[in-house]
Amino acid sequence: MKNLKRQWKFIVVLIAGAVGLISQFALHSKSLFSIGNLQFPVHAIIIDIIGILMAISLLLEIFHDWKTGRYGVDILAVIAVVSTILIGDVWAEWMILVMMTGGETLEDYATGQANKELRALLDKTPRIANKLVDGKITEVKVDDLQVGDTVLIKPGQQVPVDGQIVKGTSSFDQSSLTGESVPVTKNPGDELMSGSVNGDVAVEMKVTKAAKDSEYQSIVALVKSSQAQPAKFVKMADRYAIPFTVISLIIGGVAWAVSGDATRFAEVMVVASPCPLLIAAPVALVSGMSSMSAHHIIVKSGPTLEKLARAKTFAFDKTGTLTENQLIVDQVVTDDKSFDQKELPSLAASVEQQSSHVIASSLVKATDKDLIHPVTNLKETTAQGVEGDVDGKHVKVGKLSFVAPGHEKLNVTSTAVYVSVDGKFAGYITLKDKMRPESPKTIERLRRQGAEDIMMLTGDHKQVAEKVAKEAGITDVRSELLPSQKIQAIKDVPKHLRPVVITGDGVNDAPSLTAADVGIAMGAKGATAASESADAVIMVNDISKVNDAVAISKHTMKVANIDVLTAIGVVIIIELIAFTGVIPAFWGAILQEVVDMITISLGLLAKTKPSDKQFGLEEK
């Protein structure tokens, strides 16, 4: 709404100028009245009214900013407008209004983002549950469930609220909550989190938490809370506001005192109008955002570039971010010398080829097709494993307790499937998340780009997380985290290691993305709650784009700073010339236009390619 209001200001100023021109030159408007030496023709009244309203609006914004401890250059714009009104230089006043409101509009374009952050998340929130009453199923609203109710969760359905299994065993996909890529088997007595998805077997669950207190609904609340309390960040131009304002007022005040003419003060204030300062950063930011788009990165707000350029801490989710959300065979360990490294996976994959389980499909995919043989007498034991006959051998694949009772003391920390042949334990196959090939290089380059701390935040098991982190080159590993714990980890980052940037791809990452100073979503697979909640979205399946985002941001902010400082230097020089009285207010406004053009031209340099050092391609 605020952005729309500012755009309307710009439109109103343009309309007022057009009406004023028609009134003055086409209709030859005459003065309606005069005060002293000041004449007030129709076009002057129109533009003065707009100028007064804009000045009042700006003063209210300035007052609000002052209450929040922020000091900007807008006060000079107010002084410039009021000065031109008092000396009766209408078109100088109008040009100041055009550049002032035009700069605001351009800034809004650079920093505005769509109001869709929660849509994807809210669409997936469980709404209907199958409540069991005297053995009969009744569909009820999730919000109507009470603690103690019994709910039936059918295969493929989402768990509506937090609860505890009272009947049945099934596997549950918790990736949307924890990021863990492997479904977890749940038995009677085990806890279920809302938002997890049931596998192949219906189970009955006792409700332990009402909807408003359950895990998935808490994620929605966390996103809302994070958005309601955005991190404070000072706009770049405002850092120069106080010294620039003081210098300009001193020059104008001395000019007035020396000449004894208030017009001289107004002439200095016209050229001191902060339009170039207001427009420098937005133009550079728009250019930088355009460069981001060319690199398949969508940035939703201008200040995101500034934060990325200064970022000191980078956090990554594991599954789907550092890894490809796909399991690959890690080790083949045989317990019987009669089986080699190829035969054991061949037998296991042959039995698993008809299963849709993540581990089974990953094992089959990792095995040479020529080594997968027909299976007969196939039988599946729910949540335990499968068995069948392959090449005359009876093969069992699955949990250790199912495959080889008595071997439970075997300590394997990785995700594994166990195999027995003709009733004899044959060995096991471990699987791991497939690392993105570009992940280690991305982490290395981030350090070259100035990252002081890089951490992994994941809901996966400690051993799995540490193994992936070691391969990626990350030493700061936080594992087995729920969404709220990820947010706390971000909040705990000390001030001297901020801003914090986090990259993720799942629903469980949405709160973290909004809580961090900058949230980057891997959005190649389409719009998700993560990409809706992020400040930037990588539109291709390539995590090294994080390096590109940092490089472009650093380059953009370097250009923007040079642009702002150049604008300040040029404006102060023109102020000193106006001090002598050789620049009337109108021509001062024209010179402002020249400075604006210089500012815009410099800002467009942000579209040029960053240096190899900014890309992290050079050794530090």
Side-chain angles (χ1 to χ4, degrees):
M1 183 63 70
K2 181 179 178 181
N3 291 355
L4 185 62
K5 178 181 176 182
R6 288 165 67 154
Q7 290 171 12
W8 271 109
K9 285 184 182 179
F10 181 55
I11 293 171
V12 168
V13 170
L14 291 180
I15 293 174
V19 172
L21 284 172
I22 294 171
S23 173
Q24 181 176 5
F25 298 107
L27 302 180
H28 305 288
S29 63
K30 298 180 179 179
S31 297
L32 296 182
F33 60 91
S34 61
I35 300 177
N37 294 325
L38 297 181
Q39 303 295 315
F40 290 91
V42 173
H43 71 277
I45 294 174
I46 293 172
I47 294 174
D48 283 348
I49 290 174
I50 299 300
I52 291 169
L53 292 176
M54 294 295 177
I56 292 173
S57 175
L58 205 53
L59 280 172
L60 292 175
E61 291 181 19
I62 291 170
F63 180 70
H64 179 267
D65 288 342
W66 284 356
K67 288 196 300 182
T68 58
R70 176 174 166 260
Y71 303 92
V73 293
D74 293 338
I75 188 65
L76 282 178
V78 174
I79 295 173
V81 170
V82 173
S83 298
T84 50
I85 291 175
L86 293 177
I87 65 173
D89 200 327
V90 175
W91 293 112
E93 173 193 352
W94 180 76
M95 293 184 72
I96 292 171
L97 291 173
V98 167
M99 294 312 301
M100 184 176 70
T101 56
E104 288 178 344
T105 301
L106 185 57
E107 184 179 13
D108 288 339
Y109 172 75
T111 60
Q113 56 179 311
N115 187 25
K116 301 176 182 177
E117 287 80 3
L118 295 178
R119 187 180 62 195
L121 191 62
L122 294 174
D123 286 347
K124 294 181 181 179
T125 304
R127 290 182 173 84
I128 301 296
N130 297 315
K131 182 178 178 181
L132 286 173
V133 181
D134 298 328
K136 295 182 179 181
I137 298 176
T138 303
E139 284 194 352
V140 299
K141 292 181 179 180
V142 170
D143 291 339
D144 293 336
L145 288 175
Q146 303 292 322
V147 174
D149 287 345
T150 301
V151 176
L152 177 68
I153 306 171
K154 298 178 182 180
Q157 284 189 337
Q158 202 174 30
V159 178
V161 293
D162 290 358
Q164 184 181 60
I165 294 180
V166 294
K167 184 178 180 181
T169 297
S170 186
S171 61
F172 287 81
D173 180 359
Q174 300 182 153
S175 59
S176 65
L177 296 160
T178 66
E180 187 175 353
S181 55
V182 181
V184 179
T185 299
K186 296 288 186 177
N187 302 299
D190 289 342
E191 301 292 331
L192 291 178
M193 293 186 291
S194 64
S196 54
V197 179
N198 190 12
D200 301 325
V201 181
V203 299
E204 294 180 14
M205 180 193 79
K206 181 180 180 180
V207 176
T208 57
K209 290 183 181 179
K212 63 182 178 67
D213 301 317
S214 294
E215 190 64 37
Y216 196 89
Q217 288 83 350
S218 296
I219 293 178
V220 176
L222 286 169
V223 175
K224 290 180 178 178
S225 175
S226 297
Q227 290 182 324
Q229 301 175 17
K232 293 182 179 179
F233 211 82
V234 179
K235 291 194 297 183
M236 185 184 66
D238 291 344
R239 299 197 193 109
Y240 305 101
I242 294 178
F244 179 68
T245 301
V246 170
I247 291 172
S248 298
L249 289 174
I250 288 174
I251 293 174
V254 172
W256 186 354
V258 171
S259 66
D261 186 358
T263 300
R264 191 70 58 83
F265 176 79
E267 291 169 349
V268 172
M269 287 301 100
V270 167
V271 297
S273 172
C275 297
L277 205 59
L278 292 173
I279 207 171
V283 169
L285 292 177
V286 169
S287 299
M289 291 168 72
S290 175
S291 182
M292 287 279 199
S293 297
H295 284 76
H296 307 289
I297 306 164
I298 304 301
V299 176
K300 299 180 182 179
S301 63
T304 295
L305 295 174
E306 188 173 359
K307 299 174 192 178
L308 269 171
R310 298 176 57 202
K312 296 181 179 178
T313 298
F314 290 81
F316 291 89
D317 176 48
K318 179 182 74 67
T319 307
T321 305
L322 292 171
T323 68
E324 293 187 349
N325 202 13
Q326 176 186 334
L327 294 173
I328 59 173
V329 172
D330 185 20
Q331 291 180 305
V332 177
V333 181
T334 59
D335 194 60
D336 190 325
K337 293 182 180 179
S338 60
F339 298 101
D340 59 27
Q341 297 289 310
K342 287 187 177 180
E343 188 175 7
L344 192 67
S346 171
L347 292 171
S350 297
V351 176
E352 293 274 32
Q353 61 185 299
Q354 296 183 29
S355 175
S356 59
H357 193 279
V358 171
I359 293 179
S361 59
S362 298
L363 182 59
V364 172
K365 190 174 182 179
T367 305
D368 191 323
K369 291 182 180 180
D370 295 335
L371 297 176
I372 299 178
H373 306 296
V375 58
T376 58
N377 300 320
L378 186 66
K379 179 183 176 182
E380 182 172 0
T381 302
T382 301
Q384 295 297 318
V386 295
E387 56 186 302
D389 296 328
V390 180
D391 293 339
K393 300 181 180 71
H394 186 69
V395 182
K396 297 178 74 173
V397 183
K399 288 186 174 181
L400 187 59
S401 58
F402 169 73
V403 168
H407 286 72
E408 284 82 356
K409 291 184 179 179
L410 186 64
N411 184 24
V412 179
T413 57
S414 303
T415 300
V417 291
Y418 301 87
V419 185
S420 69
V421 180
D422 293 331
K424 185 177 180 181
F425 181 59
Y428 60 89
I429 303 167
T430 64
L431 298 100
K432 65 178 182 178
D433 283 319
K434 183 180 180 181
M435 176 71 67
R436 289 181 183 272
E438 71 273 15
S439 289
K441 190 68 175 178
T442 297
I443 302 304
E444 180 186 348
R445 286 175 59 192
L446 280 176
R447 291 196 172 95
R448 292 179 184 174
Q449 289 175 304
E452 296 184 22
D453 185 28
I454 301 176
M455 57 184 174
M456 176 196 288
L457 304 178
T458 178
D460 216 338
H461 298 300
K462 182 179 180 181
Q463 293 90 343
V464 176
E466 289 180 345
K467 198 168 185 178
V468 171
K470 184 178 180 181
E471 190 176 345
I474 298 175
T475 56
D476 188 354
V477 186
R478 321 285 179 89
S479 57
E480 302 179 9
L481 301 179
L482 291 174
S484 58
Q485 293 171 315
K486 288 186 179 183
I487 285 184
Q488 192 58 49
I490 293 170
K491 289 182 177 179
D492 289 342
V493 174
K495 188 175 181 180
H496 71 277
L497 289 178
R498 290 181 174 274
V500 180
V501 178
I502 184 169
T503 305
D505 79 320
V507 173
N508 62 299
D509 300 318
S512 304
L513 295 178
T514 53
D517 296 304
V518 176
I520 301 177
M522 299 294 292
K525 296 180 181 179
T528 64
S531 60
E532 293 288 351
S533 301
D535 300 296
V537 182
I538 296 173
M539 302 306 296
V540 292
N541 199 26
D542 184 356
I543 197 175
S544 70
K545 291 297 178 181
V546 174
N547 297 128
D548 294 350
V550 173
I552 293 170
S553 297
K554 287 181 179 294
H555 179 60
T556 299
M557 297 319 300
K558 180 180 179 180
V559 170
N561 274 290
I562 292 173
D563 201 0
V564 170
L565 291 173
T566 300
I568 289 175
V570 172
V571 168
I572 288 178
I573 290 172
I574 297 174
E575 286 179 17
L576 292 174
I577 296 174
F579 178 92
T580 64
V582 299
I583 304 178
F586 178 79
W587 287 105
I590 295 295
L591 283 174
Q592 274 281 311
E593 294 290 339
V594 174
V595 178
D596 290 339
M597 292 303 103
I598 294 173
T599 298
I600 291 172
S601 299
L602 285 174
L604 291 175
L605 292 176
K607 295 185 72 174
T608 58
K609 184 181 177 181
S611 66
D612 286 347
K613 183 177 181 181
Q614 289 169 327
F615 270 119
L617 297 175
E618 291 183 355
E619 295 286 350
K620 294 183 76 173

